[in-house]
Amino acid sequence: MSHETTGARRTFITVYIALVLLTVVTVLVSYVNLGLMNVVVALLIASVKASLVALIFMHLKSEDRLVWGFALVPIAFLALIILGTLVDTLLR
Amino acid sequence: MNAPPADHGDPRVAFESAKLGLWTFLATEVLLFGALFTAYAVFRLKYPALFHSEHLKLNRVLGTLNTLVLITSSLAVALGVDAIRKGKARLLEKYYGVTVLLGAVFLCVKYIEWTEEFHHGLYPGTNIFFSLYFMLTGLHGIHVILGMGILTYVVVLSRRGRFSAGYHTPVEVSGLYWHFIDLVWIYLLPLLYLIG
């Protein structure tokens, strides 16, 4: 638990730089009119950023399958809720 | 002597349990914010023109600035957890102190934004976009305040010498909570400020 963290600082700082760059990119892209692609690109970049935070900052990368389950199941539920609600409201 | 393998007196098992407990709590948080994200998705598809015209009224520069503030605070938390894993309590206190300060900066920027919006006659009751905007950023702001309180408490405990390389469960789980606050904002920036 305590001896395998050498080099962790370096990884965190690299991830941080990536997060800052992705933020700058997503803001710049928002000034360009891509039509519907604006939404896709913005959410894609946000998801890459979120994955970096979860995998590296929250150590999900080095967790076992049980923790992965606890992290992913709520996201699956959220997707189900959003899709279900959209199907219901848009096709009514 | 004959302790069962899942004995919670075992520090490793206790740590794993605490971590799973926090991830379970985060699951309920995902669904709490999820309800508002669902409302956002429904109304955005129903009134695309309104969402487009209204989101342009938000201050994109301040929203971006706050994103950078939160990402930086998240880095400080990650470095703080790393510090205590190596047994460096003083360093942990410094990093968590920086995080609490950045949380305060975030709230100040948010305060400036809200004041600006109220000044322009934009209130939670103005229209569905601003209802969602104030609900989402307000709920997120409450989380920032709670997170600042929790991290401050962790710093106080650390000052009392509670944590070491061998035991630092509260540091780890409070860190996870702060990263989650960062995660929510990572989605709020594009949904509210960039693509409305």
Side-chain angles (χ1 to χ4, degrees):
Chain A
M1 198 161 46
S2 56
H3 294 291
E4 60 221 34
T5 52
T6 330
R9 284 174 61 96
R10 201 193 188 86
T11 311
F12 290 144
I13 290 163
T14 310
V15 165
Y16 172 71
I17 293 168
L19 289 172
V20 170
L21 289 178
L22 284 169
T23 303
V24 171
V25 169
T26 193
V27 172
L28 289 180
V29 168
S30 77
Y31 287 101
V32 184
N33 189 3
L34 301 172
L36 202 64
M37 281 307 281
N38 273 115
V39 183
V40 178
V41 171
L43 288 181
L44 210 67
I45 292 177
S47 298
V48 172
K49 287 167 72 183
S51 306
L52 281 174
V53 171
L55 287 172
I56 312 295
F57 283 178
M58 299 172 89
H59 317 116
L60 201 55
K61 198 171 150 251
S62 50
E63 296 287 4
D64 57 23
R65 278 158 66 187
L66 185 61
V67 179
W68 274 83
F70 274 63
L72 292 181
V73 167
I75 296 170
F77 268 107
L78 179 60
L80 194 66
I81 290 168
I82 291 181
L83 282 177
T85 310
L86 285 182
V87 167
D88 183 46
T89 51
L90 296 179
L91 303 181
R92 190 149 35 180
Chain B
M1 290 288 248
N2 292 323
D7 182 3
H8 285 230
D10 177 346
R12 254 201 79 75
V13 176
F15 174 65
E16 292 299 318
S17 306
K19 218 163 49 187
L20 279 183
L22 203 277
W23 278 101
T24 309
F25 170 66
L26 292 185
T28 70
E29 293 274 82
V30 166
L31 297 179
L32 172 67
F33 280 100
L36 288 169
F37 283 132
T38 308
Y40 174 94
V42 169
F43 288 112
R44 189 180 186 276
L45 287 168
K46 251 185 177 167
Y47 310 107
L50 174 93
F51 270 59
H52 182 74
S53 67
E54 295 307 294
H55 99 285
L56 294 172
K57 295 175 183 169
L58 294 181
N59 193 326
R60 213 177 287 195
V61 175
L62 289 183
T64 307
L65 172 69
N66 252 351
T67 306
L68 298 176
V69 169
L70 266 198
I71 291 174
T72 311
S73 74
S74 232
L75 171 69
V77 165
L79 292 175
V81 171
D82 183 53
I84 198 63
R85 280 182 175 188
K86 291 167 181 161
K88 296 176 186 164
R90 293 288 94 81
L91 197 56
L92 156 73
E93 289 152 24
K94 263 186 211 149
Y95 280 130
Y96 270 36
V98 167
T99 304
V100 173
L101 268 176
L102 288 172
V105 171
F106 178 90
L107 289 177
C108 286
V109 174
K110 204 72 233 155
Y111 173 81
I112 294 168
E113 278 187 76
W114 278 24
T115 311
E116 207 176 66
E117 281 138 16
F118 292 152
H119 188 72
H120 288 104
L122 303 166
Y123 297 103
T126 302
N127 54 44
I128 186 66
F129 177 80
F130 275 98
S131 293
L132 286 167
Y133 166 77
F134 282 109
M135 286 274 277
L136 279 164
T137 56
L139 185 64
H140 180 266
I142 290 170
H143 280 75
V144 172
I145 294 168
L146 289 175
M148 286 167 69
I150 292 165
L151 294 190
T152 306
Y153 184 54
V154 167
V155 171
V156 170
L157 289 181
S158 178
R159 288 255 169 103
R160 291 182 192 157
R162 295 284 179 83
F163 306 130
S164 62
Y167 174 75
H168 50 266
T169 304
V171 182
E172 297 260 355
V173 294
S174 62
L176 284 176
Y177 183 65
W178 191 269
H179 291 310
F180 175 79
I181 296 171
D182 187 25
L183 273 187
V184 172
W185 187 262
I186 282 175
Y187 280 96
L188 289 186
L189 172 78
L191 290 178
L192 295 172
Y193 292 81
L194 304 183
I195 58 175

